[in-house]
Amino acid sequence: MGAVTLRGFGWRHAGRKRWAVRGVDLRVEAGERVLLLGPSGAGKSTLLAALAGLLPEDSGEQEGTVEIDGLDPRKARERVGIVFQDPETQLVMARCGDDVAFGLENRGVPADEIWPRVDEALRRVGFPYDRDRPTAALSGGEQQRLALAGALALRPGLLLLDEPTANLDPPGAALVRTAVAGALDADTTLVLVEHRVAEALPLVDRVVVLEPGGGVRADGSPDEVFGAHGDALAAEGVWVPGRTVPARRGTATPGEVLLTADRLGLPPRLAPTDLQVRAGEALAVLGPNGAGKSTLALLLGGLVKPGTGTVAASAALAGRDARTPPHRWRAPALATRIGSVFQDPEHQFVTGTVFDELALGPRRTGRPEAEVRSTVDDLLARLRLTALAGANPYTLSGGEARRLSVATALATAPRLLICDEPTFGQDRRTWLELVDLFADLRDAGHGVVAVTHDAEFVAALADRQLALSRGPSSGATP
């Protein structure tokens, strides 16, 4: 079983004026495979959370009804498995086998059944290690397969996947999709949220598009939905297969060197690496999960002390502090010189509203309040966040949170911007707006460094690429 029924369903998070999702009428039969689409902020993740029974009654306001096999989802949790964008949020044990067994133990499965079910689930997702492998030693793709195994071990009638490949390199994403395709039983219902539609289509037989203002925009087979609505959906932000995106490559010669890394590393997370970052240039940092890309971003951003080698800023970036490494700069100086966008947006949110989050940096640097408000209003409008100015950052969708994290880094107008996976969770429209934003910064003489798995983003924006590889002795030069 795993049938889904929604009648006029809507949900508004506590403290929010705008409904996250509203007016949804939908029926998904047991065994159907559904791709749930819609622009960023249309309510896809909220809808999955509702189906998983993860919206407590005291955390918001509900309209209509949602049922799993005729039951309220909060009473049908044993029938549902869910895998989130970030697998680390689901891994709770130190060993892989124990992590898969955790849910079974919580549900009171007899002890003699647990380990056979753990082994079966690990086998079905193609997990390459035994039960004793430390969860901390897994790559992103391996973590996601382990999280999928944990969901499958519960033998759910309904499997919910919320952008399970968003933060994975292409090989890791392909492995997760293969694991999903091979692990589903014939009668398992699948509801999948995925922005990269073309890669997800082999997993599904039906497409449902949510309307941001409420309700269902389109519902049918992939050919029917994209044939009838493809152009309109692409214009509204859906990643419709076959629609190309324009390039925004630099037209001017890169300027002066802003930052130089010499044998920069942090064993064992990053092998010694050499690179230069220039003004008026967009540099893409590529490589498989586990190669140290996020660590490199933290080191370049002055947020972590190097384990090996050095990071040196030029006078063009640091002025009188050019002889001091960035990790030793005072916080206000660092904020106005180097802006950092973390892979996990929520790791950099510290206030109670979107407006205050954007105002924090400019206020700390001593700008007049009128200038702060003007800067914040401009960023809110540029990144389509104006309607969310009073919202708590932790209630935003994944795509909205990513745009807010980019905006907080830009609020102090840094000369160098370092972003870790800046486009994940974005619909086509907001993705294009981010590309334009980064291109405008680059063309205005700022340096941009982007850690990314997004090949289209690299093709559209990057002037130069740096490829990292895994291994204790690996390094890279541009």
Side-chain angles (χ1 to χ4, degrees):
M1 298 293 287
V4 173
T5 304
L6 299 105
R7 300 183 184 91
F9 175 73
W11 180 266
R12 178 165 59 188
H13 295 285
R16 296 281 288 272
K17 294 181 179 179
R18 192 179 71 171
W19 290 81
V21 63
R22 199 173 197 185
V24 177
D25 293 297
L26 184 66
R27 172 77 180 178
V28 179
E29 301 295 341
E32 280 194 291
R33 312 291 163 85
V34 176
L35 177 62
L36 187 63
L37 298 180
S40 180
K44 303 181 295 296
S45 293
T46 300
L47 185 56
L48 288 196
L51 295 177
L54 299 179
L55 296 178
E57 293 181 2
D58 60 357
S59 68
E61 178 184 353
Q62 179 174 320
E63 284 184 340
T65 61
V66 54
E67 297 178 346
I68 309 297
D69 295 331
L71 299 174
D72 185 299
R74 302 179 188 96
K75 300 178 180 179
R77 288 175 179 166
E78 293 189 1
R79 302 169 186 245
V80 182
I82 187 168
V83 178
F84 301 111
Q85 289 180 3
D86 183 0
E88 290 186 356
T89 62
Q90 292 185 254
L91 304 185
V92 296
M93 304 297 287
R95 295 191 310 165
C96 293
D98 293 341
D99 201 86
V100 178
F102 182 77
L104 298 172
E105 292 170 343
N106 278 346
R107 293 190 179 180
V109 173
D112 60 348
E113 295 182 21
I114 289 177
W115 292 112
R117 287 174 64 167
V118 168
D119 292 338
E120 177 193 18
L122 291 172
R123 177 187 58 78
R124 295 181 74 181
V125 302
F127 193 70
Y129 307 112
D130 60 27
R131 301 176 190 163
D132 293 330
R133 179 76 171 182
T135 54
L138 302 180
S139 71
E142 291 164 351
Q143 289 178 344
Q144 199 64 290
R145 278 191 280 172
L146 183 64
L148 179 61
L152 292 174
L154 302 174
R155 296 177 181 170
L158 172 63
L159 180 63
L160 308 171
L161 303 180
D162 191 359
E163 293 196 62
T165 65
N167 288 320
L168 303 184
D169 57 41
L175 286 172
V176 168
R177 288 192 294 269
T178 299
V180 172
L184 294 177
D185 291 326
D187 59 350
T188 301
T189 307
L190 173 68
V191 179
L192 168 66
V193 171
E194 184 64 78
H195 276 295
R196 297 304 183 181
V197 174
E199 291 85 352
L201 286 181
L203 297 174
V204 303
D205 48 38
R206 179 180 171 190
V207 173
V208 173
V209 183
L210 294 183
E211 183 74 63
V216 173
R217 169 68 181 276
D219 184 357
S221 71
D223 288 343
E224 291 171 344
V225 170
F226 297 131
H229 304 280
D231 291 339
L233 291 174
E236 294 171 9
V238 174
W239 284 99
V240 177
R243 269 63 172 184
T244 59
V245 293
R248 283 292 310 269
R249 308 300 292 274
T251 57
T253 302
E256 66 266 43
V257 173
L258 299 177
L259 210 61
T260 299
D262 181 17
R263 304 297 292 167
L264 178 65
L266 190 65
R269 292 159 55 185
L270 175 68
T273 302
D274 301 325
L275 77 145
Q276 286 187 330
V277 181
R278 294 182 176 273
E281 181 181 55
L283 171 65
V285 178
L286 312 176
N289 289 102
K293 302 184 299 299
S294 295
T295 300
L296 178 61
L298 293 172
L299 290 166
L300 294 177
L303 301 174
V304 173
K305 180 181 179 180
T308 65
T310 60
V311 181
S314 69
L317 177 64
R320 291 179 295 179
D321 285 340
R323 294 185 179 181
T324 304
H327 74 273
R328 294 178 56 191
W329 294 348
R330 293 173 61 87
L334 181 64
T336 58
R337 295 166 182 166
I338 304 176
S340 291
V341 178
F342 301 156
Q343 186 176 87
D344 298 311
E346 63 273 13
H347 289 178
Q348 62 193 95
F349 298 154
V350 296
T351 71
T353 71
V354 169
F355 185 96
D356 287 339
E357 199 68 42
L358 290 174
L360 182 65
R363 283 171 176 163
R364 282 181 170 175
T365 60
R367 295 188 188 178
E369 188 61 24
E371 183 181 335
V372 170
R373 181 168 293 276
S374 176
T375 296
V376 171
D377 288 344
D378 179 67
L379 287 169
L380 288 170
R382 184 77 188 264
L383 292 173
R384 296 181 182 268
L385 295 170
T386 301
L388 299 170
N392 188 307
Y394 292 97
T395 66
L396 302 183
S397 72
E400 292 163 349
R402 166 51 75 219
R403 296 201 301 283
L404 176 58
S405 67
V406 171
T408 59
L410 295 176
T412 55
R415 187 74 190 283
L416 175 60
L417 181 65
I418 299 174
C419 302
D420 196 349
E421 296 293 351
T423 59
F424 92 81
Q426 299 306 306
D427 63 30
R428 188 178 190 272
R429 180 170 55 184
T430 55
W431 185 95
L432 290 169
E433 289 167 351
L434 282 175
V435 169
D436 284 342
L437 180 63
F438 293 139
D440 289 345
L441 286 170
R442 185 260 323 274
D443 296 343
H446 297 254
V448 177
V449 177
V451 169
T452 184
H453 293 307
D454 187 342
E456 288 182 313
F457 179 73
V458 174
L461 182 73
D463 305 302
R464 189 160 55 94
Q465 300 178 25
L466 171 70
L468 301 183
S469 59
R470 296 183 66 175
S473 61
S474 67
T477 55

